[in-house]
Amino acid sequence: MNQTRTFLILAWLMVATLLWMEWGKERAAATAPTIPTTAQPAAQANVPTAQVPGAATTATTQPIASATPAAPVVRLRNDVLVLDVNGRDVVRAELLKYPQTRAEGSAPVLLLDTDPTHYFQASAAWRSVAGVELALQAEGNAREVVQADGTKAVEVRFIANAGNGMQLRRTYTLAHGSYALRVRDALVNTGSTPWTGEIERRLVRVPPQAKRGFTNPEAFSLNGAAWYSPEEKYEKRKFPNFVKDGPLNMQVTGGWVGLSQHYFLGAWVPQKDQAALYSLGTSGNAHHIQALGPRVTLAPGQQFTSDATLWIGPKLADQLDATAPGLGLAMDYGIFTVLSKPIHWLLTLLHKLTHNWGWAIVLLVVIIKLLLYPLSAAQYKSMAKMRKFQPRIEQLKERYGEDKQKFQMAMLELYKKEKINPAGGCLPILIQMPVFLALYYVLLEAVELRQAPWIMGWINDLTARDPFFILPVLNAAIMWLTQKMSPMMAADPLQKKMMQMMPLVMAVMFVMFPAGLVLYWVTNGALGLLQQWWNTRRYAEEPAKA
């Protein structure tokens, strides 16, 4: 019959299976990247025929004129972000608070970049129905605008004046401490004829070569597109599936589109009351997602404004949730989102208390263990009752020898007579598993743990492996002690050998795991061992006579 240790092993294997399945879904293209000359569409694009903002669109194919040459770049800087913009495109983004490595003087992460191997850009272009773009130029001669001390935000303005009298004024605004770039477009028709056009907000990149490996968290994070609509909520598609899974072509009001990678996100959030057509596409090895619309018709003298937000930065839950509805779902916890979001909130709260993400993980596991203690107590009580009758079961095993069928029938009869539920410890474990798997995904996705130390000189980066293998060895020791304290009933020699090997197997596997995840498992296992020792003493009974 199954006993508690078997269920614990199954729990470990459940985690391994889930991770293996996620790893198996990741496929990287081995071809060299092909970069489009601009971030604009190819010769043709689907253009909606709606005449007013927010109206439903019907896709029709019309030619698009060749892209207008980009204006000179203006650098926009606050305390956390450096952006290079040329009016239409944001061509470069440095995340000042996130160095690429822990090495002293390391350059900051470049989320947006023109380098062919890391190509990633964001663009927003207004075009007439004939495909003529309103070409933006910087107002003034300044080529770098830095947020001054004591100010709340920094901004830069661009203007486009077309020969037909159409004028576009664009203002980029970057608030202090924010990764959300506000983009305000003001259109006015100063000409003598009506003008009809639309805006295309697009993100285009060459898929990054994500690190592979069963023990690498980057292999399990979304590397692809994500989008949100009030009706369908959060949806996603990995880069290799852009074409295979068919066109998107979704009319949305009040949503967002983005390209996601481990820890970081680029996303366009159109004005919530203006409709846009969401679509996916590829050009060579470059992949894009875009929001096309609204389409507007302006009579002479009429004006129109359209606001949007471009998120360029880390996946910070509180800031994402404050930027747009559903944007916080970009922290992709999968089926564990309902549990993972409050766990992440609690982890952040504990960090404010400890000022150390390692100790925050330890306290978080302690709190969860305390909350789930009633279930654990029921599990240990069931284990104690089974331990009481272990001599009787061993006697039955000796009596029936190799006749396993008779042995099983005799053991079931004993359980029935003594009112023992052999699966009594199973339900508590099954209830706890979603909670701990949700915590596991929080530790995979939390950008706050990136390069965060626990104990300097030992664990200098919770997302890197333990350099001295102390945590994997501690985990093996804890598993071995847990086995020694657990009842072993009705296990054949092969089962016993497999169970005895589990601590060593897990230690070898955890050698390559990030230290933050191993710290979680060690803390959880140590508290479980302590609970088991306490409850074994509490529910201890004299063994039943054979």
CSV table of all heavy atoms in Angstrom, one decimal, residues 418-472:
chain,number,residue,atom,x,y,z
A,418,GLU,N,-9.3,-2.5,11.7
A,418,GLU,CA,-8.8,-1.5,12.6
A,418,GLU,C,-9.2,0.0,12.2
A,418,GLU,O,-8.8,0.9,12.9
A,418,GLU,CB,-7.3,-1.5,12.7
A,418,GLU,CG,-6.7,-2.9,13.2
A,418,GLU,CD,-7.1,-3.2,14.6
A,418,GLU,OE1,-7.5,-2.2,15.3
A,418,GLU,OE2,-7.1,-4.4,15.0
A,419,LYS,N,-10.0,0.1,11.2
A,419,LYS,CA,-10.5,1.4,10.7
A,419,LYS,C,-9.4,2.3,10.4
A,419,LYS,O,-9.3,3.5,10.8
A,419,LYS,CB,-11.4,2.1,11.7
A,419,LYS,CG,-12.7,1.2,12.0
A,419,LYS,CD,-13.6,1.9,13.1
A,419,LYS,CE,-14.8,1.1,13.3
A,419,LYS,NZ,-15.7,1.7,14.3
A,420,ILE,N,-8.4,1.8,9.6
A,420,ILE,CA,-7.3,2.6,9.1
A,420,ILE,C,-7.6,3.0,7.6
A,420,ILE,O,-8.0,2.1,6.8
A,420,ILE,CB,-6.0,1.7,9.2
A,420,ILE,CG1,-5.7,1.3,10.6
A,420,ILE,CG2,-4.8,2.5,8.6
A,420,ILE,CD1,-4.6,0.4,10.7
A,421,ASN,N,-7.3,4.3,7.4
A,421,ASN,CA,-7.4,4.7,6.0
A,421,ASN,C,-6.0,4.9,5.4
A,421,ASN,O,-5.3,5.8,5.8
A,421,ASN,CB,-8.2,6.1,5.9
A,421,ASN,CG,-8.3,6.6,4.5
A,421,ASN,OD1,-8.0,5.9,3.5
A,421,ASN,ND2,-8.8,7.8,4.4
A,422,PRO,N,-5.6,4.0,4.6
A,422,PRO,CA,-4.2,4.0,4.1
A,422,PRO,C,-3.9,5.3,3.3
A,422,PRO,O,-2.7,5.6,3.1
A,422,PRO,CB,-4.1,2.8,3.2
A,422,PRO,CG,-5.4,2.4,2.8
A,422,PRO,CD,-6.3,2.8,4.0
A,423,ALA,N,-4.9,5.9,2.8
A,423,ALA,CA,-4.7,7.1,2.0
A,423,ALA,C,-5.1,8.4,2.8
A,423,ALA,O,-5.2,9.5,2.3
A,423,ALA,CB,-5.6,7.1,0.7
A,424,GLY,N,-5.1,8.2,4.1
A,424,GLY,CA,-5.4,9.3,5.0
A,424,GLY,C,-4.5,10.5,4.9
A,424,GLY,O,-4.9,11.6,5.2
A,425,GLY,N,-3.2,10.2,4.6
A,425,GLY,CA,-2.3,11.3,4.5
A,425,GLY,C,-2.2,11.9,3.1
A,425,GLY,O,-1.4,12.8,2.8
A,426,CYS,N,-2.9,11.3,2.1
A,426,CYS,CA,-2.8,11.8,0.7
A,426,CYS,C,-3.5,13.1,0.5
A,426,CYS,O,-3.0,14.0,-0.1
A,426,CYS,CB,-3.4,10.7,-0.2
A,426,CYS,SG,-3.4,11.1,-1.9
A,427,LEU,N,-4.8,13.2,1.0
A,427,LEU,CA,-5.6,14.4,0.7
A,427,LEU,C,-4.9,15.7,1.2
A,427,LEU,O,-4.8,16.7,0.4
A,427,LEU,CB,-7.0,14.3,1.3
A,427,LEU,CG,-7.9,15.5,1.1
A,427,LEU,CD1,-8.1,15.7,-0.4
A,427,LEU,CD2,-9.2,15.3,1.8
A,428,PRO,N,-4.3,15.7,2.4
A,428,PRO,CA,-3.6,17.0,2.8
A,428,PRO,C,-2.5,17.3,1.9
A,428,PRO,O,-2.3,18.5,1.6
A,428,PRO,CB,-3.1,16.6,4.2
A,428,PRO,CG,-4.0,15.5,4.7
A,428,PRO,CD,-4.4,14.7,3.5
A,429,ILE,N,-1.8,16.4,1.4
A,429,ILE,CA,-0.6,16.7,0.5
A,429,ILE,C,-1.2,17.2,-0.8
A,429,ILE,O,-0.7,18.2,-1.4
A,429,ILE,CB,0.2,15.4,0.3
A,429,ILE,CG1,0.9,15.0,1.6
A,429,ILE,CG2,1.3,15.6,-0.8
A,429,ILE,CD1,1.7,13.7,1.5
A,430,LEU,N,-2.2,16.6,-1.3
A,430,LEU,CA,-2.8,17.0,-2.6
A,430,LEU,C,-3.3,18.5,-2.5
A,430,LEU,O,-3.3,19.2,-3.5
A,430,LEU,CB,-3.9,16.1,-3.1
A,430,LEU,CG,-3.5,14.7,-3.4
A,430,LEU,CD1,-4.7,13.8,-3.8
A,430,LEU,CD2,-2.4,14.7,-4.6
A,431,ILE,N,-3.9,18.8,-1.3
A,431,ILE,CA,-4.4,20.2,-1.2
A,431,ILE,C,-3.2,21.2,-1.1
A,431,ILE,O,-3.3,22.3,-1.6
A,431,ILE,CB,-5.3,20.3,0.1
A,431,ILE,CG1,-6.5,19.4,-0.1
A,431,ILE,CG2,-5.6,21.7,0.4
A,431,ILE,CD1,-7.4,19.3,1.1
A,432,GLN,N,-2.1,20.8,-0.4
A,432,GLN,CA,-1.0,21.7,-0.3
A,432,GLN,C,-0.2,21.9,-1.6
A,432,GLN,O,0.4,22.9,-1.8
A,432,GLN,CB,0.0,21.1,0.8
A,432,GLN,CG,-0.6,21.1,2.2
A,432,GLN,CD,0.4,20.4,3.1
A,432,GLN,OE1,1.5,20.9,3.3
A,432,GLN,NE2,-0.1,19.4,3.8
A,433,MET,N,-0.2,20.9,-2.5
A,433,MET,CA,0.6,20.9,-3.7
A,433,MET,C,0.4,22.2,-4.5
A,433,MET,O,1.3,22.8,-5.0
A,433,MET,CB,0.5,19.6,-4.5
A,433,MET,CG,1.3,18.5,-3.9
A,433,MET,SD,3.1,18.9,-3.7
A,433,MET,CE,3.6,19.4,-5.3
A,434,PRO,N,-0.9,22.5,-4.8
A,434,PRO,CA,-1.1,23.7,-5.7
A,434,PRO,C,-0.5,25.0,-5.0
A,434,PRO,O,0.0,25.9,-5.7
A,434,PRO,CB,-2.6,23.8,-5.8
A,434,PRO,CG,-3.1,22.4,-5.5
A,434,PRO,CD,-2.2,21.8,-4.5
A,435,VAL,N,-0.5,25.1,-3.7
A,435,VAL,CA,0.0,26.3,-3.0
A,435,VAL,C,1.5,26.3,-3.2
A,435,VAL,O,2.1,27.4,-3.6
A,435,VAL,CB,-0.3,26.2,-1.5
A,435,VAL,CG1,0.3,27.4,-0.8
A,435,VAL,CG2,-1.8,26.3,-1.3
A,436,PHE,N,2.2,25.2,-3.1
A,436,PHE,CA,3.6,25.2,-3.2
A,436,PHE,C,4.1,25.3,-4.6
A,436,PHE,O,5.1,25.9,-4.9
A,436,PHE,CB,4.2,24.0,-2.5
A,436,PHE,CG,4.2,24.1,-1.0
A,436,PHE,CD1,3.3,23.3,-0.3
A,436,PHE,CD2,5.0,25.0,-0.3
A,436,PHE,CE1,3.2,23.4,1.1
A,436,PHE,CE2,4.9,25.1,1.1
A,436,PHE,CZ,4.0,24.3,1.8
A,437,LEU,N,3.3,24.8,-5.6
A,437,LEU,CA,3.6,25.0,-7.0
A,437,LEU,C,3.4,26.4,-7.4
A,437,LEU,O,4.2,27.0,-8.2
A,437,LEU,CB,2.8,24.0,-7.8
A,437,LEU,CG,3.2,22.6,-7.8
A,437,LEU,CD1,2.1,21.7,-8.6
A,437,LEU,CD2,4.5,22.4,-8.5
A,438,ALA,N,2.4,27.1,-6.8
A,438,ALA,CA,2.2,28.5,-7.1
A,438,ALA,C,3.4,29.3,-6.6
A,438,ALA,O,3.8,30.2,-7.3
A,438,ALA,CB,0.9,29.0,-6.4
A,439,LEU,N,3.9,29.0,-5.4
A,439,LEU,CA,5.0,29.6,-4.9
A,439,LEU,C,6.3,29.4,-5.8
A,439,LEU,O,7.1,30.3,-6.0
A,439,LEU,CB,5.3,29.2,-3.5
A,439,LEU,CG,6.6,29.7,-2.8
A,439,LEU,CD1,6.6,31.2,-2.8
A,439,LEU,CD2,6.8,29.1,-1.4
A,440,TYR,N,6.4,28.2,-6.3
A,440,TYR,CA,7.5,27.8,-7.2
A,440,TYR,C,7.5,28.7,-8.4
A,440,TYR,O,8.5,29.3,-8.8
A,440,TYR,CB,7.3,26.4,-7.6
A,440,TYR,CG,8.5,25.8,-8.4
A,440,TYR,CD1,9.6,25.3,-7.8
A,440,TYR,CD2,8.4,25.8,-9.8
A,440,TYR,CE1,10.6,24.7,-8.5
A,440,TYR,CE2,9.5,25.3,-10.5
A,440,TYR,CZ,10.6,24.8,-9.9
A,440,TYR,OH,11.6,24.2,-10.6
A,441,TYR,N,6.3,29.0,-9.0
A,441,TYR,CA,6.2,29.8,-10.2
A,441,TYR,C,6.5,31.3,-9.8
A,441,TYR,O,7.0,32.0,-10.7
A,441,TYR,CB,4.9,29.7,-10.9
A,441,TYR,CG,4.8,28.5,-11.9
A,441,TYR,CD1,4.6,27.2,-11.5
A,441,TYR,CD2,5.2,28.8,-13.2
A,441,TYR,CE1,4.6,26.2,-12.4
A,441,TYR,CE2,5.2,27.7,-14.1
A,441,TYR,CZ,4.9,26.4,-13.7
A,441,TYR,OH,4.9,25.4,-14.6
A,442,VAL,N,6.1,31.7,-8.6
A,442,VAL,CA,6.5,33.1,-8.2
A,442,VAL,C,8.0,33.3,-8.2
A,442,VAL,O,8.5,34.3,-8.7
A,442,VAL,CB,5.9,33.4,-6.8
A,442,VAL,CG1,6.5,34.7,-6.3
A,442,VAL,CG2,4.4,33.5,-6.9
A,443,LEU,N,8.7,32.3,-7.7
A,443,LEU,CA,10.1,32.4,-7.6
A,443,LEU,C,10.8,32.3,-9.0
A,443,LEU,O,11.8,32.9,-9.3
A,443,LEU,CB,10.7,31.2,-6.7
A,443,LEU,CG,10.2,31.3,-5.3
A,443,LEU,CD1,10.9,30.1,-4.5
A,443,LEU,CD2,10.5,32.6,-4.6
A,444,LEU,N,10.1,31.6,-10.0
A,444,LEU,CA,10.6,31.6,-11.3
A,444,LEU,C,10.4,33.0,-12.0
A,444,LEU,O,11.3,33.4,-12.8
A,444,LEU,CB,9.8,30.5,-12.1
A,444,LEU,CG,10.2,29.1,-11.9
A,444,LEU,CD1,9.2,28.2,-12.8
A,444,LEU,CD2,11.6,28.8,-12.3
A,445,GLU,N,9.3,33.7,-11.7
A,445,GLU,CA,8.9,34.8,-12.5
A,445,GLU,C,9.4,36.2,-11.9
A,445,GLU,O,9.4,37.2,-12.5
A,445,GLU,CB,7.4,34.9,-12.7
A,445,GLU,CG,6.9,33.8,-13.7
A,445,GLU,CD,7.4,34.1,-15.2
A,445,GLU,OE1,7.4,35.3,-15.6
A,445,GLU,OE2,7.9,33.2,-15.8
A,446,ALA,N,9.6,36.2,-10.6
A,446,ALA,CA,9.8,37.4,-9.8
A,446,ALA,C,11.2,38.1,-10.3
A,446,ALA,O,12.2,37.6,-10.0
A,446,ALA,CB,9.8,37.2,-8.3
A,447,VAL,N,11.1,39.2,-11.0
A,447,VAL,CA,12.3,39.9,-11.4
A,447,VAL,C,13.0,40.5,-10.2
A,447,VAL,O,14.2,40.8,-10.3
A,447,VAL,CB,11.9,41.1,-12.4
A,447,VAL,CG1,11.1,42.2,-11.7
A,447,VAL,CG2,13.1,41.6,-13.1
A,448,GLU,N,12.3,40.7,-9.1
A,448,GLU,CA,13.0,41.2,-7.9
A,448,GLU,C,14.1,40.3,-7.4
A,448,GLU,O,15.1,40.7,-6.7
A,448,GLU,CB,12.0,41.4,-6.8
A,448,GLU,CG,10.9,42.5,-7.0
A,448,GLU,CD,9.7,41.9,-7.7
A,448,GLU,OE1,9.8,40.8,-8.3
A,448,GLU,OE2,8.7,42.6,-7.8
A,449,LEU,N,14.0,39.0,-7.7
A,449,LEU,CA,15.1,38.0,-7.3
A,449,LEU,C,16.3,38.0,-8.2
A,449,LEU,O,17.3,37.4,-7.9
A,449,LEU,CB,14.5,36.6,-7.2
A,449,LEU,CG,13.9,36.2,-5.8
A,449,LEU,CD1,12.7,37.1,-5.5
A,449,LEU,CD2,13.5,34.8,-5.8
A,450,ARG,N,16.1,38.7,-9.4
A,450,ARG,CA,17.2,38.7,-10.3
A,450,ARG,C,18.5,39.4,-9.7
A,450,ARG,O,18.4,40.5,-9.4
A,450,ARG,CB,16.8,39.4,-11.6
A,450,ARG,CG,17.8,39.4,-12.7
A,450,ARG,CD,17.3,40.2,-13.9
A,450,ARG,NE,18.3,40.3,-15.0
A,450,ARG,CZ,19.2,41.2,-15.1
A,450,ARG,NH1,19.2,42.2,-14.2
A,450,ARG,NH2,20.1,41.2,-16.1
A,451,GLN,N,19.6,38.6,-9.6
A,451,GLN,CA,20.8,39.1,-9.1
A,451,GLN,C,20.7,39.5,-7.7
A,451,GLN,O,21.6,40.3,-7.2
A,451,GLN,CB,21.4,40.2,-10.0
A,451,GLN,CG,21.7,39.8,-11.4
A,451,GLN,CD,22.2,40.9,-12.3
A,451,GLN,OE1,22.4,42.1,-11.8
A,451,GLN,NE2,22.4,40.6,-13.5
A,452,ALA,N,19.7,39.1,-6.9
A,452,ALA,CA,19.5,39.5,-5.5
A,452,ALA,C,20.3,38.6,-4.6
A,452,ALA,O,20.2,37.4,-4.8
A,452,ALA,CB,18.0,39.5,-5.2
A,453,PRO,N,21.1,39.1,-3.7
A,453,PRO,CA,21.9,38.2,-2.8
A,453,PRO,C,21.0,37.8,-1.6
A,453,PRO,O,20.0,38.4,-1.3
A,453,PRO,CB,23.0,39.2,-2.4
A,453,PRO,CG,22.4,40.5,-2.3
A,453,PRO,CD,21.4,40.5,-3.5
A,454,TRP,N,21.5,36.7,-1.0
A,454,TRP,CA,20.9,36.3,0.3
A,454,TRP,C,22.0,36.5,1.4
A,454,TRP,O,21.9,37.3,2.2
A,454,TRP,CB,20.5,34.8,0.2
A,454,TRP,CG,20.0,34.3,1.5
A,454,TRP,CD1,19.3,35.0,2.5
A,454,TRP,CD2,20.1,32.9,2.0
A,454,TRP,NE1,19.0,34.2,3.5
A,454,TRP,CE2,19.5,32.9,3.3
A,454,TRP,CE3,20.7,31.8,1.5
A,454,TRP,CZ2,19.4,31.8,4.1
A,454,TRP,CZ3,20.6,30.6,2.3
A,454,TRP,CH2,20.0,30.6,3.6
A,455,ILE,N,23.1,35.7,1.3
A,455,ILE,CA,24.2,35.8,2.3
A,455,ILE,C,25.4,36.1,1.4
A,455,ILE,O,25.9,35.2,0.7
A,455,ILE,CB,24.3,34.5,3.1
A,455,ILE,CG1,23.1,34.3,4.0
A,455,ILE,CG2,25.6,34.7,4.0
A,455,ILE,CD1,23.1,33.0,4.8
A,456,MET,N,25.9,37.3,1.5
A,456,MET,CA,27.1,37.7,0.7
A,456,MET,C,28.3,36.8,1.0
A,456,MET,O,28.5,36.5,2.2
A,456,MET,CB,27.4,39.1,0.9
A,456,MET,CG,26.4,40.1,0.5
A,456,MET,SD,26.0,39.9,-1.3
A,456,MET,CE,27.5,40.5,-2.0
A,457,GLY,N,29.0,36.4,0.0
A,457,GLY,CA,30.1,35.5,0.1
A,457,GLY,C,29.7,34.1,-0.1
A,457,GLY,O,30.5,33.2,-0.3
A,458,TRP,N,28.4,33.8,0.0
A,458,TRP,CA,27.9,32.5,-0.3
A,458,TRP,C,26.9,32.5,-1.4
A,458,TRP,O,27.2,32.2,-2.5
A,458,TRP,CB,27.3,31.9,1.0
A,458,TRP,CG,26.6,30.5,0.8
A,458,TRP,CD1,26.8,29.7,-0.2
A,458,TRP,CD2,25.6,30.0,1.6
A,458,TRP,NE1,26.0,28.6,-0.1
A,458,TRP,CE2,25.2,28.7,1.0
A,458,TRP,CE3,24.9,30.4,2.7
A,458,TRP,CZ2,24.2,27.9,1.5
A,458,TRP,CZ3,23.9,29.6,3.3
A,458,TRP,CH2,23.6,28.4,2.7
A,459,ILE,N,25.7,33.0,-1.1
A,459,ILE,CA,24.6,33.1,-2.2
A,459,ILE,C,24.6,34.6,-2.5
A,459,ILE,O,23.9,35.4,-1.9
A,459,ILE,CB,23.3,32.7,-1.6
A,459,ILE,CG1,23.3,31.2,-1.2
A,459,ILE,CG2,22.2,32.8,-2.8
A,459,ILE,CD1,23.7,30.2,-2.2
A,460,ASN,N,25.3,35.0,-3.6
A,460,ASN,CA,25.3,36.4,-4.1
A,460,ASN,C,24.3,36.6,-5.1
A,460,ASN,O,24.1,37.8,-5.4
A,460,ASN,CB,26.7,36.7,-4.6
A,460,ASN,CG,27.8,36.5,-3.6
A,460,ASN,OD1,27.7,36.9,-2.5
A,460,ASN,ND2,29.0,36.0,-4.1
A,461,ASP,N,23.6,35.6,-5.6
A,461,ASP,CA,22.6,35.8,-6.6
A,461,ASP,C,21.6,34.6,-6.5
A,461,ASP,O,22.0,33.5,-6.7
A,461,ASP,CB,23.2,35.8,-8.0
A,461,ASP,CG,22.2,36.0,-9.1
A,461,ASP,OD1,21.0,36.1,-8.8
A,461,ASP,OD2,22.6,36.1,-10.3
A,462,LEU,N,20.4,34.9,-6.1
A,462,LEU,CA,19.4,33.9,-5.8
A,462,LEU,C,18.9,33.2,-7.1
A,462,LEU,O,18.3,32.2,-7.1
A,462,LEU,CB,18.2,34.5,-5.1
A,462,LEU,CG,18.4,34.8,-3.6
A,462,LEU,CD1,17.3,35.7,-3.1
A,462,LEU,CD2,18.5,33.5,-2.8
A,463,THR,N,19.2,33.8,-8.3
A,463,THR,CA,18.8,33.2,-9.6
A,463,THR,C,19.9,32.4,-10.2
A,463,THR,O,19.8,31.8,-11.2
A,463,THR,CB,18.4,34.3,-10.6
A,463,THR,OG1,19.5,35.2,-10.8
A,463,THR,CG2,17.2,35.1,-10.0
A,464,ALA,N,21.1,32.3,-9.5
A,464,ALA,CA,22.2,31.5,-9.9
A,464,ALA,C,22.3,30.3,-9.0
A,464,ALA,O,21.8,30.3,-7.9
A,464,ALA,CB,23.5,32.3,-9.9
A,465,ARG,N,23.0,29.3,-9.4
A,465,ARG,CA,23.2,28.1,-8.6
A,465,ARG,C,24.1,28.3,-7.4
A,465,ARG,O,24.9,29.3,-7.4
A,465,ARG,CB,23.7,26.9,-9.4
A,465,ARG,CG,25.1,27.1,-9.8
A,465,ARG,CD,25.6,25.9,-10.7
A,465,ARG,NE,27.0,26.0,-11.1
A,465,ARG,CZ,27.6,25.1,-11.8
A,465,ARG,NH1,27.0,24.1,-12.3
A,465,ARG,NH2,28.9,25.3,-12.1
A,466,ASP,N,23.9,27.5,-6.3
A,466,ASP,CA,24.7,27.6,-5.1
A,466,ASP,C,26.2,27.3,-5.5
A,466,ASP,O,26.4,26.1,-5.9
A,466,ASP,CB,24.2,26.7,-4.1
A,466,ASP,CG,24.9,26.7,-2.8
A,466,ASP,OD1,26.0,27.2,-2.8
A,466,ASP,OD2,24.5,26.1,-1.8
A,467,PRO,N,27.1,28.2,-5.4
A,467,PRO,CA,28.5,27.9,-5.9
A,467,PRO,C,29.2,26.8,-5.0
A,467,PRO,O,30.1,26.2,-5.5
A,467,PRO,CB,29.2,29.2,-5.7
A,467,PRO,CG,28.4,30.0,-4.7
A,467,PRO,CD,27.0,29.5,-4.8
A,468,PHE,N,28.7,26.6,-3.8
A,468,PHE,CA,29.4,25.6,-2.9
A,468,PHE,C,28.5,24.4,-2.7
A,468,PHE,O,28.9,23.5,-1.9
A,468,PHE,CB,29.7,26.3,-1.6
A,468,PHE,CG,30.6,27.5,-1.7
A,468,PHE,CD1,30.1,28.8,-1.3
A,468,PHE,CD2,31.8,27.5,-2.2
A,468,PHE,CE1,30.8,29.9,-1.5
A,468,PHE,CE2,32.6,28.6,-2.4
A,468,PHE,CZ,32.1,29.9,-2.0
A,469,PHE,N,27.4,24.3,-3.3
A,469,PHE,CA,26.5,23.1,-3.3
A,469,PHE,C,26.0,22.8,-1.9
A,469,PHE,O,25.6,21.7,-1.6
A,469,PHE,CB,27.2,21.9,-3.9
A,469,PHE,CG,27.8,22.2,-5.2
A,469,PHE,CD1,29.2,21.9,-5.4
A,469,PHE,CD2,27.1,22.7,-6.3
A,469,PHE,CE1,29.8,22.2,-6.6
A,469,PHE,CE2,27.7,23.0,-7.5
A,469,PHE,CZ,29.1,22.7,-7.7
A,470,ILE,N,26.0,23.8,-1.0
A,470,ILE,CA,25.6,23.6,0.4
A,470,ILE,C,24.1,23.3,0.4
A,470,ILE,O,23.6,22.4,1.1
A,470,ILE,CB,25.9,24.8,1.2
A,470,ILE,CG1,27.5,25.0,1.3
A,470,ILE,CG2,25.4,24.7,2.7
A,470,ILE,CD1,27.9,26.2,2.0
A,471,LEU,N,23.3,24.1,-0.3
A,471,LEU,CA,21.8,23.9,-0.2
A,471,LEU,C,21.4,22.6,-0.8
A,471,LEU,O,20.5,21.9,-0.2
A,471,LEU,CB,21.1,25.1,-1.0
A,471,LEU,CG,21.1,26.4,-0.3
A,471,LEU,CD1,20.5,27.5,-1.2
A,471,LEU,CD2,20.4,26.4,1.1
A,472,PRO,N,21.9,22.1,-1.9
A,472,PRO,CA,21.5,20.8,-2.4
A,472,PRO,C,21.9,19.7,-1.4
A,472,PRO,O,21.1,18.7,-1.2
A,472,PRO,CB,22.3,20.6,-3.7
A,472,PRO,CG,22.6,22.0,-4.2
A,472,PRO,CD,22.7,22.8,-3.0
